[in-house]
Amino acid sequence: MSTTFQLETSTSRANPTPQPMRRLTVPAIRKRKADGHTAEPIVMLTAYTARQAQLLDPHCDVLLVGDSLGQVIYGLPSTVHVTLEMMANHAAAVVRGSWHAVVVVDMPFGSYEASPERAFDSAAQLLKASGAAAVKLEGGEAMARTVEFLVQRGIPVMGHVGLTPQAVNVLGGYGARGRTEAEAAKIVGDARALCAAGAFAIVIEGVMEPIAAAVTTAISCPTIGIGGSAQCDGQVLVTDDMLGMFERVPRFVKRYDDLAGRISAAAEAYAGEVRARTFPGPDQIYQP
Ligand code: KIV
């Protein structure tokens, strides 16, 4: 089966029509973990554009439209500046470019924390505008009531505990969490509370490895690690990090390519040919 599809501009659907047509569902992801065990780990990557989604989709169970797009796409200093409109637009593009993975969209900072009702309005707006299947929000026990409120009203929620980047101004940076016993216990308690509230999966970011392993054993819903543990029920990375688009490589990132180097080399070759007037060549011009 071909793994690359063209985007049909008239219908915004993939062409050739991929088989099977049925997308994975949120309940199917939740059910990957049964009796505390996940036989097939959940594969999740971030996606922000339709083309990126097309390329990643055949290999992923979940595509996350992460608010990391604030830094990755918009060059913002943190995710705090990301808006609901940015998330809705990129999520819609990712839904149009995918056919197989569950698309989850991050709720941006300021769109959900004030009250469950506010969170419902924002989440509904995101899902209506994009066609994504679920939202992700950051925070532990303090967000449990909101998670329950959303799930009871038809909005699947993925939780996010440990290092929560939207709280950078409270945390004081992006260092790994769970270095003290109290902090470790809080992370486990946060994950338990979200799972009990009905989260279908929980991202555990930037924590000491034994904590991620302990949370995975402690809760019935799947954990998805990033700087977590190989014992987690799934893994996620920011796609641009793992493709090698940035010089700065956090410890938890494995680079599977050097796209920055390759893009730079391609741009250098192009610039050289333009300056030497060897581009366009005979193959790239129209002759009367
Ligand atoms: O915004 C994001 O990309 C995320 C992942 C790092 C989990 O939340």
Side-chain angles (χ1 to χ4, degrees):
M1 185 178 78
S2 164
T3 54
T4 305
F5 302 96
Q6 300 300 315
L7 201 61
E8 186 90 63
T9 46
S10 57
T11 60
S12 296
R13 300 309 306 174
N15 183 23
T17 304
Q19 296 293 332
M21 280 302 291
R22 279 169 68 84
R23 252 185 216 278
L24 281 169
T25 62
V26 166
I29 297 298
R30 171 66 187 81
K31 276 192 217 137
R32 284 276 180 94
K33 187 169 184 177
D35 301 324
H37 179 64
T38 301
E40 188 188 351
I42 297 162
V43 179
M44 179 159 116
L45 279 172
T46 61
Y48 314 124
T49 67
R51 185 61 182 149
Q52 200 181 27
Q54 284 181 314
L55 296 171
L56 302 176
D57 183 64
H59 310 286
C60 292
D61 301 309
V62 182
L63 290 176
L64 171 68
V65 188
D67 61 352
S68 50
L69 63 73
Q71 288 115 314
V72 175
I73 302 278
Y74 291 91
L76 293 167
S78 77
T79 55
V80 169
H81 310 268
V82 172
T83 66
L84 212 50
E85 195 183 10
M86 285 178 189
M87 296 310 301
N89 288 339
H90 285 274
V94 169
V95 170
R96 284 196 293 272
S98 61
W99 55 275
H100 160 260
V102 173
V103 178
V104 178
V105 52
D106 257 339
M107 299 194 68
F109 177 71
S111 72
Y112 63 95
E113 300 88 336
S115 70
E117 289 78 6
R118 175 81 200 277
F120 183 85
D121 288 347
S122 301
Q125 194 179 321
L126 279 179
L127 297 195
K128 276 177 199 278
S130 68
V135 296
K136 176 165 83 57
L137 54 79
E138 296 183 9
E141 229 171 317
M143 282 297 129
R145 201 165 73 84
T146 295
V147 170
E148 192 172 8
F149 190 89
L150 296 184
V151 174
Q152 283 179 351
R153 286 159 182 77
I155 298 182
V157 182
M158 179 178 279
H160 185 151
V161 300
L163 171 60
T164 47
Q166 291 177 8
V168 62
N169 290 319
V170 171
L171 301 175
Y174 296 103
R177 313 298 298 165
R179 292 184 192 276
T180 65
E181 269 183 35
E183 218 174 78
K186 163 110 177 65
I187 293 165
V188 178
D190 282 342
R192 277 190 203 277
L194 294 178
C195 187
F200 73 94
I202 297 175
V203 168
I204 308 180
E205 177 168 357
V207 299
M208 300 295 115
E209 194 274 343
I211 300 172
V215 169
T216 300
T217 309
I219 65 174
S220 58
C221 59
T223 58
I224 301 181
I226 174 166
S229 165
Q231 304 307 311
C232 288
D233 302 298
Q235 301 294 330
V236 59
L237 281 176
V238 170
T239 298
D240 298 67
D241 279 344
M242 74 91 171
L243 291 178
M245 283 291 282
F246 297 107
E247 286 69 35
R248 189 182 155 272
V249 187
R251 180 182 172 82
F252 56 81
V253 171
K254 179 171 175 184
R255 288 176 121 202
Y256 289 83
D257 206 329
D258 172 30
L259 272 200
R262 293 209 280 148
I263 290 172
S264 187
E268 189 182 355
Y270 166 74
E273 290 189 11
V274 170
R275 290 184 182 119
R277 296 195 191 280
T278 55
F279 174 83
D283 291 346
Q284 291 95 32
I285 53 176
Y286 298 99
Q287 295 291 1

